[in-house]
Structures are given as C-alpha cells and as structure tokens.
Amino acid sequence: MRKFVPLAAGLASVALLSGCGAGKSLDRARPDEFAVARQAPLVIPPDFALVPPQPGAARPQDTAANAQTLDALFGGTAARSPAEAGVLSEAGPSAADPGIRSSAGDPGTTVIDKGSTTRDIVAAPEGDGQDARATTN
C-alpha cells in the first residue's frame, strides 16, 4: 500500500498538469509587437500670419482675472438667442441691481415671513404628486 500512494500522487499530478496546457484561455491571440510600423512624424506647417511681439506691448494672455472667469463660465461674448433676448427684454435687464448678490444675505435686508405653510411645502419630500389633495376652508 505504501508504494501505491506515491504512484497515485504522481499520476494525479501529471493529469492535473496536463490540463493546464490544453485550455483555450492561455492560447489567445496576442498583438505582434514586431508587426508595428513606424509612421512619419507630424509636421506643423509654419504660420506666416504670426508677427513677433513688440517691445512694451501688452501681452494677449494678460487679461483681468474677472474677465477670464466670465469667459470660462459663460463662454465669452456670444450672441443671445431670440428666446433669451425676449426673456431679458420682458424682465428688464437694465433695472437689475448689479450688487444684489452681496446684499441678499445681509441681516438688514427686508424679508417677508410667509409662514410655516410655505416652509413645509419647500421642505416636503419629492414625490409624483399623486397623494396631493386640495381642501377648501
């Protein structure tokens, strides 16, 4: 019996190792690194419209930080669509206070207390409105 155990273990290991080489998972198609052809380098044509900078002239990239911010946020000075122009003409853009954002949270700002009903409506969880009921007083 003692001679049979090493023989069985050897046969089992040969059977297990023979299964490793026959699988399709190790025989997949790989790219051939020697089949890659080199391409010619990109050539940037010269731009003859460029002029050398003038001494003492302002640099084009030296714009105000607040102008760069507006360009990044709103895309620069693009033409307004007809719908946007219509909404702005109805709202009266010239009547807007440019400093309203700095005074909106000011304690001296006059606010109207709309009561707890408005606060409850704003704080209500979002839903599809199927449970909403209208009651008359």
Side-chain angles (χ1 to χ4, degrees):
M1 181 77 177
R2 289 185 171 242
K3 291 184 180 180
F4 181 68
V5 172
L7 181 65
L11 287 175
S13 62
V14 167
L16 288 173
L17 287 175
S18 67
C20 292
K24 288 286 185 186
S25 65
L26 296 176
D27 193 27
R28 58 187 166 192
R30 293 179 186 88
D32 185 10
E33 64 270 11
F34 297 109
V36 176
R38 292 195 174 256
Q39 294 181 352
L42 293 176
V43 177
I44 300 174
D47 188 2
F48 295 110
L50 291 176
V51 294
Q54 299 297 324
R59 296 171 46 159
Q61 64 266 31
D62 287 344
T63 57
N66 115 12
Q68 288 178 351
T69 304
L70 289 175
D71 285 346
L73 287 174
F74 303 113
T77 56
R80 297 187 191 274
S81 69
E84 185 179 8
V87 168
L88 285 175
S89 68
E90 289 293 321
S94 60
D97 181 14
I100 190 65
R101 288 193 176 112
S102 61
S103 64
D106 186 25
T109 303
T110 305
V111 294
I112 299 171
D113 184 18
K114 299 206 178 200
S116 63
T117 305
T118 305
R119 185 184 65 236
D120 293 342
I121 290 171
V122 171
E126 185 177 339
D128 58 0
Q130 296 299 319
D131 298 330
R133 301 278 190 277
T135 59
T136 57
N137 291 337

